[in-house]
């Protein structure tokens, strides 16, 4: 029997590595590397290598389920679709379509996300969002305002030609390991690597200069660097004059941010602030890579704007090896946002409160009217569910019961809904609260396009059939539409992509026929366009083609350590688990390496609490408590503790404070205390 190699895209992170699934007699029997892939060049990290382990896991959902008492019973597709149509219909008749909210999925394809937001809007509700809200929402607001586009400005392989790489709030060695290979390559070629992070991580190990700042003080650090760059005349005056507005206001606002003063706020030695500023400003091509350490703050948008400012005053944009690189997290979070699965945007980033955008989509979809946004964001939907304003939710491939902050409240809000529909591949904590659970097909069981963090759109092919009665998410969404009397067209990915080509200008030239190995990078406005790997090389898509320098002022995090809760809790990730863990905790080779929830504590903090390494402890915040095993390490500074959120518990602790504009929760700063469990 011959083996067939089917090209697919890794289902985990935004690096978008490619690999082949090898198929024999209709079964996935292994994987083969893809040496010709432009980003991964045949490499994969531990998660990518283990992807088949969860694909074939016995816990996969194989039939629709409905709640009965505390448990679930198997039902037919017909019954499931009937329940959903009746449940949504009841809510819409009573409360109007605004009583229904949809969460799209940054794990699903572009076509699936496009169809889900279309279903939501054709039903008449503006409330559709995705987990980007918990992730890069501040990049969408901050980069759109400063640079006129929210995407990564340069492609991943470009990092290899950078001469100074400033990594701030990103642990890419663990979370985007294949992108880290490009940083290594640049480093070997003589690039200076600077890392700003409150923790020592495998990423900080590759740094020439490690700035171990206090969590939540990034605006201060970046203002201090801007101060040095301006004071020492390291700005690019020509670039500023030709391409930007607002420089004088920035000069004024950072005048008092001397390295000595900033050192008091951030805990970073003044000399290191000066060294970092000089290295970044004076190299011929510098890039800034950032991620959740920047965005997941009540000052997330300010942090992002402070990053843009640094790039703009030094002219490190629009050329190879430069750029502002918000490393997207999920395999298709970029695509879910591009497809308009966001409260404030229709597909292609037309504002959902813009009458012209609404007119354009009404005409494209052949309906007289569409809801005007902005709708409720993912975090606001949960609050509205708690207060009774949202009565039904449809959740595609997300696990807010584990991944949203303050999870006790999320559980209660989801439980109180009249109807909760969850479409996933496993019985997650969120699915356990549902009235109806629908079994979806996962990446290798369906075809479609995914957009990685550098805006590269890639086609992933179907290798095997889904288990049992599971269907592709596209087929399910179309069937739900039909049961509600809404015709979403033919549920095959190529037809939906053809519609996307017509309605999303950035994707106009990204046709199915052109998506061979390596894909195409948007904007790609017509079928002959080669794609646009580097943004802003000929000005900015803002008034007069100029970028905006926006002065920002340091504000402390919403919650600080005090007498009752003396430690500062920061949360994040480890290499072998992914987000709420539904997939990696079902991969034996990964689970073996990190089997339990742990909390990293500095020995100097642990000693007076009589806590030894491996002890079970209770971590408590004003919201609640979670048990974890203590891990003593000086990778966290005194006063700071770290927990990953891959196991249930961590988000019982996290703060509900959000950024006032982007509405992202402050996952990176909560006040906590720790006690030993005897
Ligand atoms: N292995 C693995 N890979 C993943 C994921 C996963 O769960 N596991 N998830 C994917 C997703 S959805 C995302 S969004 C990305 C996220 O990727 P990252 O952003 O790299 O992930 P985090 O661990 O949340 O946080 C990054 C770093 O920010 C630091 N940090 C915390 N607070 C601050 C601060 O105030 N300032 C600064 N400068 N740094 C701070 C943390 O110590 C941490 O080292 O990873 C993606 N890839
Ligand atoms: N404390 C704390 N909390 C955080 C963060 C943090 O740093 N700290 N980070 C936040 C960030 S950046 C993010 S992005 C969110 C992530 O939040 P979520 O998106 O809720 O997290 P995941 O666990 O990735 O959930 C994805 C779900 O999709 C399912 N799935 C996978 N593939 C498919 C498919 O093809 N079809 C269907 N139907 N389902 C599929 C998976 O089984 C899983 O249940 O978490 C946020 N929460
Ligand atoms: S780096 Fe990301 S995309 Fe690449 S193999 Fe690892 S998890 Fe998959
Ligand atoms: Mo994320």
């Amino acid at each position: 029997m011959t083996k067939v190699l089917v090209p697919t895209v890794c289902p985990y992170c935004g690096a978008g590595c490619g690999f082949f699934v090898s198929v024999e007699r209709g079964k996935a029997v292994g994987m083969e590397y893809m040496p010709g892939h432009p980003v991964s060049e045949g490499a994969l990290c531990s998660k990518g290598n283990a992807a088949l382990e969860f694909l074939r896991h016995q816990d996969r959902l194989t039939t629709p389920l409905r709640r009965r008492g505390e448990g679930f019973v198997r039902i037919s597709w017909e019954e499931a679709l009937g329940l959903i149509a009746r449940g949504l219909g009841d809510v819409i008749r009573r409360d109007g379509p605004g009583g229904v909210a949809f969460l799209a999925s940054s794990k699903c394809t572009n076509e699936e996300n496009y169809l889900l937001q279309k279903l939501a809007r054709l039903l008449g509700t503006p409330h559709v969002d995705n987990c980007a809200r918990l992730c890069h929402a501040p990049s969408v607001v901050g980069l759109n305002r400063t640079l006129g586009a929210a995407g990564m400005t340069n492609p991943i392989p470009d990092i290899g030609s950078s001469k100074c790489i400033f990594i701030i709030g990103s642990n890419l060695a663990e979370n985007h390991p294949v992108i880290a290979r490009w940083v290594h390559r640049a480093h070997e070629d003589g690039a200076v690597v600077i890392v700003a992070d409150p923790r020592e991580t495998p990423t900080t190990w590759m740094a020439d200069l490690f700035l171990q700042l206090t969590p939540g003080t990034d605006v201060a650090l970046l203002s201090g660097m801007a101060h040095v760059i301006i004071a020492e005349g390291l700005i690019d005056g020509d670039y500023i004059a030709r391409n930007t507005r607002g420089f004088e206001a920035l000069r004024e606002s950072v005048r008092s941010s001397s390295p000595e003063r900033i050192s008091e706020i951030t805990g970073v030695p003044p000399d290191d602030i000066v060294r970092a500023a000089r290295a970044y400003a004076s190299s011929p091509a510098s890039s800034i890579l950032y991620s959740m350490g920047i965005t997941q703050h009540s000052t997330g948008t300010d942090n992002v704007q402070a990053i843009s400012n640094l790039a703009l005053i030094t002219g490190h944009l629009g050329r190879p090896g430069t750029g502002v690189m918000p490393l997207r997290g999920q395999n298709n979070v970029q695509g879910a946002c591009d497809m308009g699965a966001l409260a404030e945007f229709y597909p292609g980033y037309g504002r959902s409160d813009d009458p012209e955008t609404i007119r354009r989509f009404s005409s494209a979809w052949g309906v007289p009217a569409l809801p005007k946004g902005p709708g409720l964001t993912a975090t606001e939907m949960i609050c509205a569910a708690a207060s009774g304003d949202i009565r039904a939710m449809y959740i595609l491939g997300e696990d807010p019961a584990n991944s949203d902050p303050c999870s006790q409240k999320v559980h209660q809000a989801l439980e109180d809904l009249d109807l909760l529909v969850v479409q996933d591949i496993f019985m997650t904590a969120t699915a356990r609260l549902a009235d109806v659970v629908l079994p979806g097909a996962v990446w290798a069981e369906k075809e479609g396009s995914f957009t990685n963090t550098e805006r590269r759109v890639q086609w992933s092919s179907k290798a095997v059939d889904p288990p049992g009665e599971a269907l592709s998410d596209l087929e399910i969404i179309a069937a739900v539409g039909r049961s509600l009397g809404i015709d979403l067209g033919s549920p095959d990915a190529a037809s939906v992509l053809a519609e996307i080509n017509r309605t999303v200008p950035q994707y106009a030239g990204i046709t199915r026929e052109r998506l061979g190995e390596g894909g195409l990078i948007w904007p790609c406005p017509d079928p002959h366009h080669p794609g646009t790997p580097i943004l802003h090389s000929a000005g900015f898509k803002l008034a007069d083609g100029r970028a905006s320098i926006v002065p920002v002022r340091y504000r402390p995090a919403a919650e600080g350590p005090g007498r009752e809760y003396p430690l500062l809790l920061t949360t994040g990730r480890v290499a072998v688990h992914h987000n709420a863990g539904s997939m990696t905790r079902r991969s034996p080779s990964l689970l073996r390496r990190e089997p339990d929830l742990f909390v990293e504590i500095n020995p100097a903090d642990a000693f007076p609490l009589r806590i030894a390494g491996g002890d079970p402890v209770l971590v408590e915040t004003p919201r609640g408590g979670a048990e974890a095993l203590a891990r003593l390490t000086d990778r966290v500074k005194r006063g700071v503790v770290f927990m990953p959120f891959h196991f249930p518990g961590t988000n019982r602790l996290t703060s509900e404070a959000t950024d006032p504009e982007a509405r992202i929760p402050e996952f990176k700063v909560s006040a906590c205390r720790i006690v030993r469990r005897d």
Side-chain angles (χ1 to χ4, degrees), residues 296 330 397 399 403 423-424 446 473 571 573 579-580 582 651:
Q296 289 176 335
Q330 296 268 36
D399 191 6
S403 51
Q423 184 170 326
D424 205 293
K446 58 189 177 190
D473 293 299
T571 65
R573 302 166 160 78
N579 292 355
S582 77
N651 273 328

Side-chain angles (χ1 to χ4, degrees), residues 9-19 39-40 43-49 172 174-179 329 331 575 578:
V9 181
C10 176
Y12 280 114
C13 92
C17 300
F19 59 83
V39 174
S40 50
L44 291 179
C45 75
S46 50
K47 291 184 304 305
N49 270 307
L172 50 91
E174 292 199 75
N175 301 328
H176 296 93
V178 170
I179 301 183
N331 54 334
H578 189 75

Side-chain angles (χ1 to χ4, degrees), residues 189-214:
D189 275 356
V192 178
V193 176
I194 306 165
V195 180
D197 197 300
R199 296 160 56 223
E200 192 187 320
T201 68
T203 306
T204 63
W205 298 340
M206 49 181 177
D208 299 296
L209 183 57
F210 170 31
L211 313 174
Q212 194 168 18
L213 79 177
T214 302

Side-chain angles (χ1 to χ4, degrees), residues 11 54 105-108 112 131-132 134-136 292 296 329-331 333 396-400 402-405 423-426 428 438-443 446 473 571-573 578-583 643-645 650-651 654 667-668:
F54 80 82
S105 174
S106 53
K107 300 231 75 74
C108 288
E112 290 162 348
C131 77
L134 310 174
C135 191
H136 268 294
M292 297 303 100
Q296 289 176 335
Q330 296 268 36
N331 54 334
V333 64
L396 171 68
E398 278 204 32
D399 191 6
N402 269 330
S403 51
D404 278 22
Q423 184 170 326
D424 205 293
I425 57 170
F426 289 116
T428 59
L438 304 176
V442 77
W443 101 103
K446 58 189 177 190
D473 293 299
T571 65
R573 302 166 160 78
H578 189 75
N579 292 355
S582 77
M583 290 141 73
M643 285 171 87
F645 77 107
T650 303
N651 273 328
T654 41
F667 286 122
K668 293 293 186 259

Side-chain angles (χ1 to χ4, degrees), residues 31 77 83 109 112 119 169 244 278 283 310 323 351 370 421 432 457 490 505 514 542 552 602 621 629 665:
M31 53 173 49
W77 274 107
L83 282 171
T109 65
E112 290 162 348
L119 171 64
T244 70
R278 286 181 187 156
S283 109
L310 221 52
R351 297 208 75 92
L370 284 171
V421 181
R432 275 197 290 277
V457 185
S490 159
R514 294 186 74 198
L542 286 169
V552 285
N602 188 291
T621 69
L629 299 179

